[in-house]
Amino acid sequence: MSNPGRRKWEGGAVVPYEPPAPPVTQADYSAAIQAHLDAKARERQYDGIHSAIGYRDDPNLDFAAEADALFAWRSTVWTFSSAELAKVMSGERVQPTVAEFMAELEAACSFEWPMQRPAMLGGQLPPE
C-alpha cells in the first residue's frame, strides 16, 4: 500500500484511516482564552496580561490606565467565557469549536486601549 498514513483492517483489506480528532476539552478553551488575553497585552509590549495588570496604580499614568482597562476586560472575558461554557456543560447550547468560541468571545468582549501611545504602535519607535 502506498499510503504512508494510518491504516485499519476493514472488510478483509487494509485501508487508509484517519482517526477522529480528540474531543475539545475545557483546557483547550482555557488555553485559547489565555492566549487571547496575553496577545492583547503584548500589543503594548507587556510580557502578558498578568504583567500588564501589575501596573495598576503605577506612577506612570499611561501604564496605570492600560492596566486598569486590561484588568476590567480580563474580568469581562472570563465572565462571558465561564457563562457560555457552563451552557455547553448543561446542554443549553451545542459545543462550539475553539475557533467558533473565540470568534464569539471577540465579538462579545471587545477591547479598546484607553489612549494611543505612538511610540509603541507596531513595536516601532518613531524616527528621530
Side-chain angles (χ1 to χ4, degrees):
M1 177 174 266
S2 63
N3 181 350
R6 295 184 176 176
R7 299 172 191 84
K8 68 178 183 175
W9 185 260
E10 183 176 282
V14 175
V15 296
Y17 173 70
E18 281 300 320
V24 178
T25 67
Q26 178 70 36
D28 296 322
Y29 291 109
S30 292
I33 295 163
Q34 189 62 50
H36 178 64
L37 294 169
D38 288 335
K40 180 57 68 177
R42 287 187 189 111
E43 288 178 6
R44 294 284 172 102
Q45 281 63 53
Y46 295 105
D47 293 332
I49 191 88
H50 294 106
S51 65
I53 288 171
Y55 283 89
R56 292 177 77 207
D57 298 322
D58 194 85
N60 180 316
L61 298 181
D62 288 348
F63 293 163
E66 291 174 350
D68 287 340
L70 287 166
F71 181 82
W73 178 65
R74 179 184 69 173
S75 181
T76 299
V77 165
W78 283 112
T79 299
F80 171 84
S81 299
S82 297
E84 291 305 307
L85 293 174
K87 290 177 187 175
V88 170
M89 297 300 291
S90 70
E92 290 179 52
R93 67 171 286 184
V94 175
Q95 182 175 4
T97 66
V98 172
E100 291 167 342
F101 187 78
M102 294 308 296
E104 288 178 35
L105 184 146
E106 290 178 30
C109 305
S110 62
F111 180 84
E112 288 190 34
W113 291 102
M115 82 297 272
Q116 291 293 317
R117 285 204 288 145
M120 300 302 277
L121 296 178
Q124 301 295 317
L125 294 173
E128 293 185 43

